[in-house]
Amino acid sequence: MSHAPAPAAEAGGGAPPRSNAVVAVLAFAGIVVSLMQTLVIPIVPELPRLLDAPASDTAWAVTATLLAAAVATPVMGRLGDMYGKRRMLLVSVVLLVTGSVVCALSDALVPMIVGRVLQGLASGVIPLGISIMRDELPAERLGSATALMSASLGIGGALGLPAAALIADNFDWHMLFWTSAGMGVVALVCVVLFVPESKVRTGGRFDLVGGTGMAAGLICLLLGISKGADWGWTSGTTLGLFVAAVVVLVAWGWWELRTEQPLVDLRTTARRQVLVTNLASIAVGFAMFAMSLVIPQLLQLPAQTGYGLGKSMLVAGLCMAPSGLVMMATAPVSAAISRSKGPKVTLMIGVLIVAVGYGLNIVLMSEVWHFVLVACIIGAGVGFGYGSMPALIMSAVPASETAAANSLNTLMRSLGTSTASAVAGVILAQMTTDLGGYALPSESAFKVVLAVGAGAALLAFVVASFIPKAGPAAVQEPVAKAAAPTGVTAK
């Protein structure tokens, strides 16, 4: 694992940043941002009535956030490298608060979607936080801190579901978004007070053409994946979006390789360690999200099915919550393994644990404690996997490109989760059973999804095995660049 450059505060002769406060604030901000992914889940079935709109339209309250996050994550990463990571972190949290307030004040579809887009634009907080940690923390703290920050994506999702269900059951639904806004304000104040601005920057000019091209390509791709089941996978709209995504992203790649200051340095991204880590991240994202799709549904399906447990959304959320705590607890363990054996080994251990968890769930799915156990096992694996990825990325890129590189890695995970949602949706829709005239996913369908999740984890293991085992010499070049004069770093 690479060593971080000397903290900027030390380089400048001032007092070093308060490491504990920096880690706590950044991790809290990451958890707050990740909460927005599960925030609306308890009220999704009620949105058509609450917003007086068709269900096909209210689904955009979820889809819009996904698309906005996909666009914002790499863009904010690049802007952070150029103009200051803390500055872009503050912008992201302000967008989250603004979006939350817009949703809290809305009773119609359009303002709800606008607010959800603004919330999605805050998704760059986690990769920006990881990058700030690299610039500001001492080397001995970096591994566990970045592991915790990376895992906050899963921690927030796991803890957010029961919290959102509790609020939705006992208060007006607008309180979900007022709570999100309040937590965002707390995160904003804490970042202002405790997080220093990094002096490691690239400077330069923002690649507007590259940003527009990446946004267009990702929107086409993710829109096709997320809405393909509704529109039909062979429909002209879905196929047209996939074709457009390929054409636009190929053209975008051509532009990025030829422009002087690209949004994404594809040559750095093509380095074996970065490329293979990103490919493994897609599979890990897929494997992680399969759990979130299967366990809550099995817990909530009627007991009359013979395999559902007939529990409430709140109970389902509480069963998932321990997995978030396990992810948090595994962060220092993940960092310790990465220090002694290397982050590649940590990632491979993590995905094997995930595969074991899914395998157990196939045979243990009749009691509530079965699902709590499985969620904790998979959560431990995800904690190891997510904790190792920043170390793999940061040991292969210059410090001046850390935010952009981590943002791209976060985007790869999101592609995995989006694909998992689409694949699981197809399986659950095709393999059904009849209950009182209603078609429900069959027990076999859930087992197939679990098997696919295990397969994705094993695929990630195979892919991760191709990550080169970096020795000390392999990480000197990024650190050497980081040691260049602060301010503008030449590319």
Side-chain angles (χ1 to χ4, degrees):
M1 180 176 171
S2 78
H3 294 289
E10 293 180 8
R18 291 165 285 186
S19 298
N20 291 337
V22 170
V23 173
V25 169
L26 292 176
F28 175 72
I31 291 171
V32 170
V33 169
S34 64
L35 285 173
M36 70 185 175
Q37 302 291 350
T38 54
L39 193 67
V40 297
I41 289 179
I43 62 170
V44 164
E46 300 295 321
L47 283 178
R49 176 181 62 82
L50 297 173
L51 301 177
D52 191 24
S56 58
D57 291 341
T58 59
W60 284 97
V62 177
T63 306
T65 308
L66 169 70
L67 299 178
V71 172
T73 301
V75 170
M76 281 297 185
R78 177 60 179 152
L79 289 174
D81 283 334
M82 293 174 63
Y83 303 119
K85 303 174 183 77
R86 177 178 179 268
R87 180 179 298 174
M88 290 303 109
L89 182 68
L90 290 170
V91 170
S92 297
V93 179
V94 167
L95 288 171
L96 172 67
V97 173
T98 304
S100 299
V101 171
V102 170
C103 290
L105 295 173
S106 67
D107 286 300
L109 180 63
V110 172
M112 172 63 79
I113 292 176
V114 170
R116 291 291 288 165
V117 166
L118 291 172
Q119 287 185 316
L121 293 176
S123 294
V125 162
I126 292 175
L128 286 169
I130 292 171
S131 305
I132 291 172
M133 288 175 175
R134 182 185 191 181
D135 294 345
E136 303 301 330
L137 297 182
E140 64 271 12
R141 291 294 313 277
L142 185 61
S144 59
T146 56
L148 176 61
M149 190 72 199
S150 182
S152 68
L153 183 63
I155 295 169
L159 298 180
L161 186 58
L166 183 64
I167 294 171
D169 285 347
N170 294 280
F171 300 94
D172 179 76
W173 66 275
H174 294 91
M175 187 56 65
L176 288 167
F177 298 101
W178 286 122
T179 302
S180 173
M183 294 178 69
V185 170
V186 173
L188 184 67
V189 172
C190 290
V191 170
V192 170
L193 293 177
F194 298 108
V195 178
E197 178 60 273
S198 169
K199 296 180 181 179
V200 181
R201 302 185 188 178
T202 61
R205 185 174 63 249
F206 181 73
D207 178 15
L208 183 59
V209 174
T212 304
M214 174 177 259
L218 288 174
I219 288 174
C220 289
L221 177 61
L222 291 172
L223 196 55
I225 291 173
S226 61
K227 303 295 286 186
D230 296 331
W231 296 338
W233 293 105
T234 58
S235 71
T237 303
T238 303
L239 294 177
L241 284 170
F242 286 139
V243 171
V246 171
V247 172
V248 171
L249 290 175
V250 168
W252 169 79
W254 177 87
W255 169 266
E256 293 296 279
L257 288 171
R258 283 158 179 76
T259 190
E260 185 176 345
Q261 297 177 344
L263 175 71
V264 177
D265 189 339
L266 293 181
R267 291 179 177 84
T268 298
T269 304
R271 291 178 183 173
R272 183 177 168 188
Q273 182 161 324
V274 178
L275 177 62
V276 179
T277 300
N278 283 332
L279 292 175
S281 298
I282 298 175
V284 173
F286 187 108
M288 183 204 78
F289 200 64
M291 170 185 70
S292 303
L293 292 169
V294 170
I295 294 180
Q297 287 196 60
L298 282 170
L299 285 165
Q300 293 177 83
L301 279 174
Q304 293 92 322
T305 59
Y307 51 89
L309 299 187
K311 304 300 181 182
S312 66
M313 171 67 79
L314 177 57
V315 172
L318 290 172
C319 289
M320 297 292 292
S323 68
L325 300 176
V326 170
M327 289 181 205
M328 193 180 300
T330 56
V333 182
S334 168
I337 296 175
S338 293
R339 280 195 301 270
S340 61
K341 302 295 183 181
K344 171 183 175 178
V345 173
T346 308
L347 176 57
M348 296 176 74
I349 291 173
V351 293
L352 280 182
I353 294 173
V354 170
V356 169
Y358 281 120
L360 280 176
N361 204 181
I362 292 174
V363 296
L364 296 177
M365 52 191 302
S366 59
E367 301 287 343
V368 170
W369 71 266
H370 290 171
F371 293 102
V372 176
L373 173 64
V374 166
C376 288
I377 293 173
I378 296 175
V382 171
F384 277 100
Y386 276 16
S388 65
M389 289 174 190
L392 286 165
I393 295 296
M394 290 190 296
S395 64
V397 301
S400 59
E401 297 177 19
T402 304
N406 277 310
S407 295
L408 185 62
N409 181 252
T410 302
L411 175 62
M412 294 300 105
R413 299 188 221 174
S414 297
L415 288 176
T417 59
S418 301
T419 306
S421 178
V423 171
V426 170
I427 295 171
L428 297 177
Q430 294 297 318
M431 302 176 66
T432 61
T433 185
D434 183 85
L435 181 67
Y438 292 93
L440 298 175
S442 66
E443 183 178 14
S444 297
F446 287 110
K447 289 185 175 182
V448 169
V449 174
L450 292 170
V452 171
L458 293 175
L459 176 62
F461 178 85
V462 173
V463 173
S465 68
F466 290 95
I467 297 173
K469 186 175 182 180
V475 299
Q476 291 306 310
E477 181 262 344
V479 175
K481 288 188 179 181
T486 56
V488 177
T489 303
K491 292 191 74 170

